Amino acid sequence: MTPPPGSSPGTDQSVADPGLEDGPGDPGMDASDEPDHDRVPTTDARSDAPPVATRDRSGLGGFLDGDQAATRARARNFLVEHDVTARFGLDTTTHRAQVWDWLQALADDGVFAVGLPAEYGGESDLVGATATFEELAHGDLSLLIKAGVQFGLFGGAILHLGTEEHHERWLADIISGDLPGGFAMTERGHGSDVADLGTTATFDPDTDEFVVHTPDPDVDFKEWIGNAADDGRMAAVFAQLVVDGERHGVHCLAVPLRDDDGTVLDGITITDCGHKMGLNGVDNGRIWFDHVRVPRTNLLDRFGHVDADGGYDSPIDNPNRRFFTMLGTLVQGRVSIAGAAVGASKSALTIAVRHALRRTQFSRPDGRGVRLMDYPTHRRELLPRLARTYALHTAQQRLAHELADVFADDDVERRRPLEAHAAGMKAMTTAHATDTIQAARQACGGLGYLSENRLGQLKADTDVFTTFEGDNTVLLLQVAKALLSGFADDFGSLDLRGMVGFLTSRVIDTIVERTSVRTAWERVRDLVDRDQSGPETGLRNRDWQLAMLAWREEHVLGSLARRMERATDDDADEFAVYLACQDHMLAAARAHVERRVMEAFATAVDEAEGDLGAVLNTVCDLHALATIEADRGWFQEHQRLSAERSKAITRTIDDLCAELAPVAGDLVDAFRIPDAVLAAPIAT
Amino acid sequence: MTPPPGSSPGTDQSVADPGLEDGPGDPGMDASDEPDHDRVPTTDARSDAPPVATRDRSGLGGFLDGDQAATRARARNFLVEHDVTARFGLDTTTHRAQVWDWLQALADDGVFAVGLPAEYGGESDLVGATATFEELAHGDLSLLIKAGVQFGLFGGAILHLGTEEHHERWLADIISGDLPGGFAMTERGHGSDVADLGTTATFDPDTDEFVVHTPDPDVDFKEWIGNAADDGRMAAVFAQLVVDGERHGVHCLAVPLRDDDGTVLDGITITDCGHKMGLNGVDNGRIWFDHVRVPRTNLLDRFGHVDADGGYDSPIDNPNRRFFTMLGTLVQGRVSIAGAAVGASKSALTIAVRHALRRTQFSRPDGRGVRLMDYPTHRRELLPRLARTYALHTAQQRLAHELADVFADDDVERRRPLEAHAAGMKAMTTAHATDTIQAARQACGGLGYLSENRLGQLKADTDVFTTFEGDNTVLLLQVAKALLSGFADDFGSLDLRGMVGFLTSRVIDTIVERTSVRTAWERVRDLVDRDQSGPETGLRNRDWQLAMLAWREEHVLGSLARRMERATDDDADEFAVYLACQDHMLAAARAHVERRVMEAFATAVDEAEGDLGAVLNTVCDLHALATIEADRGWFQEHQRLSAERSKAITRTIDDLCAELAPVAGDLVDAFRIPDAVLAAPIAT
């Protein structure tokens, strides 16, 4: 007879962490022998509220929280204090009302606006803002997205595209929640192709106003605008700027949508996007403008100013570069979504791993039940994904610091590599979340299908992460283009003009030359392979793992550059070449991001010591080898893996999963998700 | 400027089918030049209602419908007539009421009970029943599952586990819908391990009754029982039969749950399972029995009879074999879910492919928009999955015929291979549906996230398909065990007793011997490889494709058998051996099912001629090569693919996708899903 999951929740947990509970000589390890996990506080919370208890006591939580321990604790506290657990089965009206209430609490608390300027009520802390976003992803994701629209996208547009005058007029009210607003970029006919937006903003010198208009009501209306259907009083509207008959490209204007009573203003039509797969607590709407007039000063004119006489000037002469510079200031949105994807993956894995440590299925010869975690097939589903989540977490930390550094510098030219980094991380983390939540649902069987256990709503809410803030395929193509152009080109343009233009540039030659050398690979191969006694030898050598991923990136990028170079030599159809190379571009982008993630994780792990370092090294090995195994067909095709060595990788991954199974509970406890927020009965 | 999807729905469609519209000399092709797709009837509908119009006009629909054209047309008609489109955003009460009304209509129409005996109102047509289930999967899946419980599981238990007396008492009322019932097998503590169910049915000779009881209320209660929470008047309850203190293993009894007024009977406690990720139109419940008494004659006693004196007898002496024989009669449930998974995949692909043929993103140098289907990366996401759907459709047809043949014969011993076949197909089709619906959602971008476009609800409703009617991992292990034991062992027992006992049997020796020969492979290698002039040579050779998949199956199974044989030679821990071999067992099962699916598809395609045959051959090539490519790491590890040939497969798949893109519209139109049922605005 097997014990029921949940009927005696404490019994199985101690099995999970034999390897890590004793560390009296190690400052990174909690030396407590207290068996009651729920009483261990996270750490010094930033707010006055008492810190929320979590189960983490291995020291791994401290490793993950890093320099953001206080900020993360504050965000967790907020979720607990305001009962921001994921809602399911609510009708849209009720759900939206709940999210609206939470949004006011967020604004009152100030926990979310931490990245906005201190002079208007924020804390000017971009690293903290990213960490906060990631932690809030453990709660109801409709709140996260709605808050992201209000403080991140709407507030971010005013902050980055506007000037001090605009900041003075609106930022304090945005941060306080008194001015709810939207971010009106996407149009029905123009999803990924933002440069071709249809909405126009035409200057009328007679009244000193802009006339905002939707030319073709079938195609050019704004779609998916969060905060628009119900609550938004204003929106940052992206439109083609027209002055005296001349087009100056896409600019952004602050356009009031509703009056103080919530009545939609004249000339504006708003409809609800309707029911969605998830995130129904967010009021996404469609917006049409019929010659709507706004004062000239509502143009967010940091990068393009129109004076009262109808003169246009901009600090950036090249219209294409101006456009992508404007878009680039909004990179924080992608960084945030990447964090949310990591956070959602942590929730799913915490649920599935705890369930696997408790739930038994079938029995041993001696009658003891076999835990799901005892099955190698089950470990294989969960532990490589857990290792990858650790890797992405550390890479995300690094990205957040890069974001803060680049913005502190205020040199917009330095932003191109950051944009590519953010695009790649957004694509990789959101694909990982989609994959991981699906695996977690299946790993929890029927109980994973019950809404109370969170995985269904988590799946539904996060599914659009791979699509919004830039479709993943489009983002990866942009990453590839940035790599091919050495970050020199205007980032982001994926039309023929943008994509083919740089093919004849000097940068391609440089890549072709650089990737022909392969010095790094030769050195490491000598290091690892020369004296190998068997196919397993050196698989856990970090230098070898890193060299494998670095070589793949160089090879894919180099062969792509050579292919494009060849194609431009003859009179090939450049558009056909570009289409034919897209798969190759995606492979190059993925190889690049995976190498960077692995490097970030390896660097972080290097700094950990003692038992903690040992566990993290094993997690890092698992991540590295699982990444290589997933592409072992390619590595064999390119003579970087022999058949025997490829098989040895699979065996080694099985061994690593067996090594980590006893500490799997510690590894998810380290995510420090409060039980009250996780809320899944099978995991709390 | 790109045209909006949906704003002029007719304009782009003709682009989709240049290759197939002309076939005057081919009896398989519709020769009509009529451009209005919606006016072409499917075929001779079985009912009197006019046939539902579909877009199919290529002849491919006739190939897919095969000998079930009339039955499938009738099912489609039912969906249209009763507006059984997928519902979303309904509260549970409203959704359940709608599903209940539809269920009555289904019963009145008789369309669903086609597999039940003609003498009680059915049509005794198991092939037709499977085809019907697959077609009804295009509508609201809550109805499909609720109807599956009523007619398939509940009705099936009475039919297959009961005797004529039980049929006379209940079947007519089940078929008419007057006796709603459930199938109470699963318990909270006993999911996949049915042999260890906790519920007891103890014979009381004094009153000639069985006492049905839930011993441990924390573990032994029935869970996930469809039709139980609201509507069920009776359930087929699986319980440990106890007679005079002796246990006879799991048997099934008909236990009344509610009186005619719908009041739950004394001694029975029913609670609602609560909100689920999907299928919220189905009233899943939990049931506890507190010494509930039913007449002795309520034991469904075809395989185990208790007489009034408390004597037990059974036509099958071995209790384990008896148990699995009883379970085996319920194989139709798995066959049906496999069909539903294929049906759901068709819905998702119809939506995503039509969208890809209409939606443009970015523009060509000449200003024309580029359709999503023009992007090789996008084709790669959709077309191999479409090819696999065709393959699974034909394999499912074959499985349905095998089901009908075996049951017509009534020889329960013949059922073991059928059970393995059904288990493997259920696992493969449901994994495919999960994967395909996810890919379709992402391929439709933001519009795929809108509930009106169906993919979100389709994802949520089908997600449990990989879990219910047998968890996919458990099913694949059963398939592997059946292969290893030559179908000779009691199928299904996965505890140590069941799994390790056969390791020392003669069958393993036979497998070891048989798989060492490899004659088939050598012959085909000679055929294809000897004169090859380049790595692409012979990739489209059907014999080579089949030989690759057959060799993989033999090799994986043979090496597994040898590994198990070695492990039993020494004094290894047999349980540890079994655990360590599970991954290998899953690989063997998957290789087996994929080989069978490919063979079924190749056989069906061989029979098609002319243009139709040419298109289907290309689809079959794509399916075969995509299957091989997905495991190219393994094939290289085992020297069945050189590096160059492996790369050539990838290039050839790209070519095949390009060849099929122009007929992709025809390929999904052939699924003949009526627009009114598909209902997605982006695809109708």
Side-chain angles (χ1 to χ4, degrees):
Chain A
M1 211 64 71
T2 56
S7 67
S8 48
T11 49
D12 272 347
Q13 289 170 28
S14 59
V15 181
D17 47 9
L20 278 181
E21 68 264 83
D22 304 314
D26 181 345
M29 313 292 276
D30 186 318
S32 165
D33 286 319
E34 172 61 58
D36 183 353
H37 297 186
D38 293 344
R39 297 281 76 79
V40 183
T42 44
T43 178
D44 51 319
R46 204 159 166 173
S47 74
D48 295 335
V52 174
T54 79
R55 296 162 186 255
D56 175 53
R57 59 194 189 112
S58 67
L60 287 163
F63 168 80
L64 291 175
D65 277 359
D67 60 5
Q68 297 301 305
T71 302
R72 288 176 183 269
R74 183 170 70 165
R76 292 174 196 131
N77 281 358
F78 177 84
L79 295 176
V80 173
E81 283 166 26
H82 297 273
D83 191 26
V84 189
T85 52
R87 298 294 197 257
F88 56 84
L90 297 184
D91 66 274
T92 297
T93 307
T94 310
H95 197 179
R96 287 184 183 177
Q98 172 66 76
V99 169
W100 175 255
D101 289 346
W102 280 330
L103 188 73
Q104 301 314 306
L106 261 186
D108 293 346
D109 187 286
V111 69
F112 204 94
V114 60
L116 289 168
E119 54 267 46
Y120 302 108
E123 300 179 22
S124 303
D125 174 5
L126 285 181
V127 177
T130 309
T132 298
F133 205 85
E134 187 181 322
E135 292 298 330
L136 293 181
H138 298 311
D140 189 289
L141 286 160
S142 285
L143 172 63
L144 184 77
I145 300 306
K146 178 135 174 153
V149 169
Q150 170 70 15
F151 302 110
L153 293 176
F154 176 50
I158 301 293
L159 174 65
H160 294 299
L161 303 179
T163 57
E164 197 175 338
E165 182 204 335
H166 303 113
H167 302 169
E168 287 290 335
R169 280 165 72 186
W170 296 311
L171 272 186
D173 283 347
I174 291 171
I175 290 172
S176 70
D178 293 329
L179 178 64
F183 180 82
M185 178 184 277
T186 300
E187 294 173 2
R188 165 61 67 97
H190 317 281
S192 298
D193 193 6
V194 177
D196 278 339
L197 289 179
T199 304
T200 52
T202 307
F203 183 58
D204 179 352
D206 294 341
T207 61
D208 203 30
E209 288 171 325
F210 285 104
V211 181
V212 180
H213 186 62
T214 305
D216 183 338
D218 288 338
V219 189
D220 299 330
F221 62 91
K222 298 291 178 185
E223 186 161 55
W224 290 112
I225 311 309
N227 240 347
D230 289 341
D231 298 326
R233 299 289 161 93
M234 180 180 274
V237 175
F238 289 79
Q240 305 285 354
L241 190 73
V242 184
V243 183
D244 196 20
E246 188 182 353
R247 286 187 165 235
H248 294 280
V250 172
H251 286 64
C252 185
L253 303 91
V255 180
L257 297 179
R258 289 182 175 84
D259 64 19
D260 288 345
D261 299 328
T263 306
V264 175
L265 299 174
D266 283 349
I268 295 177
T269 304
I270 299 179
T271 66
D272 200 305
C273 284
H275 198 271
K276 294 159 289 185
M277 181 178 180
L279 299 178
N280 282 299
V282 182
D283 55 324
N284 293 99
R286 302 183 175 115
I287 311 175
W288 288 257
F289 300 98
D290 181 11
H291 301 93
V292 172
R293 291 178 168 267
V294 296
R296 179 176 55 87
T297 54
N298 278 28
L299 176 68
L300 302 175
D301 60 349
R302 178 175 170 200
F303 296 106
H305 176 76
V306 176
D307 62 30
D309 303 327
Y312 177 85
D313 76 309
S314 165
I316 304 173
D317 290 337
N318 180 321
N320 205 36
R321 169 159 299 189
R322 183 191 312 138
F323 172 64
F324 286 109
T325 301
M326 288 167 64
L327 285 194
T329 62
L330 308 170
V331 65
Q332 196 184 345
R334 284 179 188 157
V335 176
S336 298
I337 291 300
V342 173
S345 303
K346 290 175 182 174
S347 292
L349 285 167
T350 302
I351 294 164
V353 166
R354 287 189 186 157
H355 182 63
L357 291 168
R358 293 174 188 174
R359 174 77 167 186
T360 60
Q361 199 70 264
F362 300 106
S363 300
R364 286 192 170 74
D366 62 9
R368 280 183 305 142
V370 184
R371 297 178 312 169
L372 294 179
M373 189 60 85
D374 296 329
Y375 289 101
T377 49
H378 204 84
R379 293 201 289 258
R380 263 279 187 170
E381 290 298 309
L382 296 180
L383 299 186
R385 291 181 169 97
L386 181 55
R388 193 177 183 83
T389 303
Y390 266 68
L392 290 171
H393 172 95
T394 56
Q396 174 69 12
Q397 291 287 99
R398 179 174 283 210
L399 174 62
H401 281 279
E402 185 181 332
L403 172 77
D405 289 349
V406 169
F407 272 74
D409 194 38
D410 207 35
D411 174 2
V412 293
E413 293 301 318
R414 273 192 63 201
R415 291 185 187 173
R416 210 124 300 161
L418 168 68
E419 290 162 31
H421 192 187
M425 280 292 291
K426 187 274 183 184
M428 174 164 286
T429 53
T430 56
H432 175 68
T434 295
D435 167 70
T436 296
I437 295 165
Q438 182 69 44
R441 205 299 292 158
Q442 292 179 220
C444 293
L447 290 169
Y449 199 64
L450 278 183
S451 297
E452 65 178 20
N453 288 321
R454 295 279 317 276
L455 296 165
Q457 195 62 44
L458 209 48
K459 179 95 199 71
D461 285 342
T462 59
D463 213 65
V464 78
F465 284 16
T466 57
T467 298
F468 69 13
E469 283 288 328
D471 176 86
N472 279 5
T473 301
V474 174
L475 290 181
L476 289 173
L477 291 172
Q478 289 179 336
V479 171
K481 193 192 158 199
L483 294 172
L484 285 167
S485 64
F487 306 100
D489 199 68
D490 295 312
F491 180 68
S493 177
L494 285 170
D495 57 7
L496 189 71
R497 188 182 64 241
M499 285 308 302
V500 182
F502 68 93
L503 284 181
T504 51
S505 73
R506 206 167 40 79
V507 179
I508 291 276
D509 295 339
T510 311
I511 291 173
V512 168
E513 197 170 314
R514 174 166 59 83
T515 57
S516 303
V517 182
R518 302 184 200 171
T519 335
W521 171 259
E522 301 292 341
R523 199 182 65 240
V524 174
R525 195 185 57 186
D526 288 351
L527 177 75
V528 177
D529 285 5
R530 190 160 283 170
D531 297 319
Q532 75 177 58
S533 52
E536 267 91 356
T537 307
L539 291 183
R540 297 200 189 189
N541 181 308
R542 190 60 35 80
D543 287 337
W544 177 80
Q545 295 162 357
L546 289 164
M548 284 287 276
L549 298 185
W551 188 84
R552 180 179 60 163
E553 178 189 357
E554 286 205 5
H555 185 85
V556 176
L557 186 60
S559 60
L560 172 61
R562 278 183 286 278
R563 184 173 168 188
M564 288 188 150
E565 192 182 44
R566 273 197 309 274
T568 51
D569 281 350
D570 51 33
D571 51 353
D573 173 353
E574 288 185 331
F575 184 70
V577 170
Y578 166 54
L579 283 187
C581 286
Q582 280 199 334
D583 253 328
H584 206 148
M585 291 175 73
L586 294 181
R590 290 196 183 100
H592 170 75
V593 186
E594 291 202 319
R595 190 263 304 162
R596 291 190 72 156
V597 169
M598 177 61 195
E599 283 183 357
F601 192 26
T603 303
V605 165
D606 266 353
E607 290 161 10
E609 295 177 345
D611 290 351
L612 193 63
V615 169
L616 288 168
N617 262 295
T618 308
V619 174
C620 192
D621 282 339
L622 177 56
H623 170 65
L625 293 182
T627 302
I628 294 169
E629 186 196 43
D631 214 8
R632 72 197 212 275
W634 186 91
F635 282 110
Q636 288 181 83
E637 284 172 358
H638 295 82
Q639 279 79 44
R640 289 280 83 81
L641 273 185
S642 68
E644 285 313 308
R645 202 159 166 81
S646 181
K647 292 182 195 171
I649 286 177
T650 297
R651 287 193 300 274
T652 304
I653 291 173
D654 291 338
D655 293 344
L656 290 166
C657 287
E659 286 176 39
L660 287 174
V663 294
D666 288 319
L667 288 167
V668 298
D669 289 351
F671 296 146
R672 293 182 166 171
I673 307 169
D675 278 4
V677 174
L678 193 67
I682 57 170
T684 53
Chain B
M1 209 67 66
T2 56
S7 66
S8 48
T11 49
D12 272 347
Q13 288 169 30
S14 59
V15 181
D17 47 10
L20 278 180
E21 68 264 84
D22 305 313
D26 181 347
M29 312 293 275
D30 187 320
S32 166
D33 286 319
E34 171 62 56
D36 183 353
H37 296 186
D38 292 345
R39 297 281 74 81
V40 183
T42 42
T43 178
D44 52 321
R46 203 159 168 173
S47 73
D48 295 334
V52 174
T54 79
R55 296 164 186 254
D56 175 53
R57 59 193 189 113
S58 66
L60 287 163
F63 167 81
L64 291 175
D65 277 358
D67 59 6
Q68 298 301 305
T71 302
R72 288 176 183 270
R74 183 170 70 164
R76 293 175 195 130
N77 282 357
F78 177 85
L79 295 176
V80 173
E81 283 167 26
H82 296 273
D83 192 25
V84 189
T85 52
R87 297 297 196 254
F88 57 83
L90 295 184
D91 66 274
T92 297
T93 307
T94 309
H95 197 178
R96 286 185 184 176
Q98 173 65 74
V99 169
W100 174 255
D101 289 345
W102 281 330
L103 188 73
Q104 301 312 308
L106 262 186
D108 293 346
D109 186 286
V111 70
F112 204 94
V114 60
L116 289 168
E119 54 266 47
Y120 302 109
E123 298 179 25
S124 304
D125 175 5
L126 285 181
V127 177
T130 309
T132 298
F133 204 85
E134 188 181 321
E135 292 299 330
L136 294 181
H138 298 311
D140 189 289
L141 286 161
S142 285
L143 171 64
L144 183 77
I145 299 307
K146 179 136 175 153
V149 170
Q150 170 71 14
F151 302 111
L153 294 176
F154 177 49
I158 301 292
L159 174 66
H160 294 300
L161 302 179
T163 58
E164 198 175 338
E165 182 202 333
H166 303 112
H167 302 170
E168 287 291 337
R169 281 165 72 186
W170 296 311
L171 272 186
D173 284 347
I174 291 171
I175 291 172
S176 70
D178 293 329
L179 178 64
F183 180 82
M185 177 183 278
T186 300
E187 294 173 2
R188 165 61 68 98
H190 316 282
S192 298
D193 193 5
V194 177
D196 279 339
L197 289 179
T199 305
T200 52
T202 307
F203 182 58
D204 179 352
D206 294 341
T207 60
D208 203 30
E209 289 172 324
F210 285 103
V211 182
V212 180
H213 186 62
T214 304
D216 183 339
D218 286 339
V219 190
D220 298 329
F221 63 91
K222 298 292 178 185
E223 188 161 54
W224 289 111
I225 312 308
N227 239 348
D230 289 341
D231 298 325
R233 300 290 160 95
M234 180 179 275
V237 175
F238 288 80
Q240 304 286 353
L241 190 72
V242 184
V243 182
D244 197 18
E246 189 181 353
R247 284 187 168 237
H248 293 281
V250 172
H251 286 64
C252 186
L253 302 92
V255 180
L257 296 180
R258 289 182 174 84
D259 65 18
D260 289 345
D261 299 328
T263 306
V264 175
L265 299 174
D266 284 348
I268 294 178
T269 304
I270 298 179
T271 66
D272 201 305
C273 285
H275 197 271
K276 294 159 291 187
M277 182 178 179
L279 298 178
N280 282 300
V282 182
D283 55 325
N284 293 99
R286 302 183 175 115
I287 311 176
W288 287 258
F289 300 99
D290 182 10
H291 300 93
V292 172
R293 290 176 170 269
V294 297
R296 178 177 56 87
T297 54
N298 278 29
L299 177 68
L300 302 176
D301 60 349
R302 177 175 170 201
F303 296 106
H305 176 75
V306 176
D307 62 31
D309 302 328
Y312 177 85
D313 76 310
S314 165
I316 305 173
D317 290 336
N318 180 321
N320 205 37
R321 170 159 298 189
R322 182 191 313 137
F323 172 65
F324 286 110
T325 301
M326 288 167 64
L327 287 194
T329 62
L330 308 170
V331 65
Q332 197 185 344
R334 284 180 188 157
V335 176
S336 298
I337 292 301
V342 174
S345 303
K346 290 175 181 172
S347 292
L349 285 167
T350 301
I351 293 164
V353 166
R354 288 190 185 155
H355 182 62
L357 290 168
R358 293 175 189 173
R359 174 78 166 184
T360 59
Q361 199 70 264
F362 301 105
S363 300
R364 286 193 170 71
D366 61 9
R368 282 183 303 141
V370 184
R371 297 179 311 168
L372 294 179
M373 189 60 87
D374 297 329
Y375 289 100
T377 49
H378 204 83
R379 294 200 289 258
R380 263 279 187 169
E381 291 298 310
L382 296 180
L383 299 186
R385 292 181 169 98
L386 180 56
R388 194 177 182 84
T389 304
Y390 266 68
L392 290 171
H393 171 96
T394 57
Q396 174 70 9
Q397 290 287 99
R398 179 174 282 208
L399 174 62
H401 281 279
E402 184 181 332
L403 172 76
D405 289 349
V406 169
F407 272 74
D409 193 38
D410 207 34
D411 174 2
V412 292
E413 294 301 319
R414 274 192 61 200
R415 292 185 188 174
R416 209 123 303 161
L418 169 67
E419 290 161 31
H421 192 185
M425 280 293 290
K426 187 272 183 186
M428 173 164 287
T429 53
T430 56
H432 175 68
T434 295
D435 167 69
T436 296
I437 295 164
Q438 182 69 43
R441 205 298 293 157
Q442 292 178 220
C444 293
L447 289 169
Y449 199 63
L450 278 184
S451 296
E452 65 178 19
N453 288 322
R454 295 280 315 278
L455 296 165
Q457 196 63 44
L458 209 48
K459 178 94 201 70
D461 285 342
T462 59
D463 212 66
V464 78
F465 284 15
T466 58
T467 298
F468 71 13
E469 285 287 327
D471 176 87
N472 279 6
T473 300
V474 174
L475 291 181
L476 289 172
L477 291 173
Q478 290 178 337
V479 171
K481 193 192 157 197
L483 295 172
L484 285 167
S485 65
F487 305 99
D489 199 68
D490 296 310
F491 179 68
S493 178
L494 284 171
D495 57 7
L496 189 71
R497 189 181 63 242
M499 284 308 302
V500 183
F502 70 91
L503 284 182
T504 52
S505 74
R506 208 166 40 76
V507 179
I508 291 277
D509 294 340
T510 312
I511 291 173
V512 168
E513 197 170 314
R514 174 166 59 82
T515 57
S516 304
V517 180
R518 304 183 199 172
T519 335
W521 171 260
E522 301 292 341
R523 199 182 64 242
V524 174
R525 196 187 54 185
D526 286 352
L527 177 75
V528 177
D529 285 3
R530 190 160 284 171
D531 297 320
Q532 73 176 61
S533 51
E536 266 92 356
T537 308
L539 290 183
R540 297 200 189 189
N541 181 309
R542 191 60 34 81
D543 288 336
W544 178 80
Q545 295 162 357
L546 289 164
M548 284 288 276
L549 297 185
W551 187 84
R552 180 178 61 162
E553 178 188 359
E554 286 205 5
H555 184 86
V556 176
L557 187 61
S559 60
L560 172 61
R562 278 184 285 279
R563 184 174 168 187
M564 288 186 150
E565 190 183 45
R566 275 197 308 275
T568 52
D569 283 349
D570 52 32
D571 51 354
D573 174 352
E574 288 184 330
F575 184 71
V577 169
Y578 166 55
L579 284 188
C581 286
Q582 279 198 335
D583 254 329
H584 206 147
M585 291 175 73
L586 294 182
R590 289 197 184 102
H592 170 75
V593 185
E594 290 201 320
R595 190 263 305 163
R596 291 191 72 156
V597 169
M598 178 60 196
E599 283 183 358
F601 192 26
T603 303
V605 165
D606 266 352
E607 291 161 10
E609 295 175 346
D611 291 351
L612 193 63
V615 169
L616 288 168
N617 263 297
T618 307
V619 174
C620 192
D621 283 338
L622 178 55
H623 170 66
L625 292 182
T627 303
I628 294 169
E629 186 197 42
D631 213 10
R632 73 197 213 275
W634 187 91
F635 281 109
Q636 288 181 84
E637 284 172 358
H638 295 81
Q639 279 78 44
R640 290 280 82 82
L641 273 184
S642 68
E644 284 313 307
R645 203 158 165 80
S646 181
K647 293 182 197 172
I649 286 178
T650 297
R651 287 194 299 273
T652 305
I653 291 173
D654 292 338
D655 293 344
L656 290 166
C657 287
E659 286 176 38
L660 287 174
V663 293
D666 288 319
L667 288 166
V668 299
D669 288 351
F671 297 146
R672 292 181 168 172
I673 306 170
D675 278 4
V677 175
L678 192 69
I682 56 170
T684 54

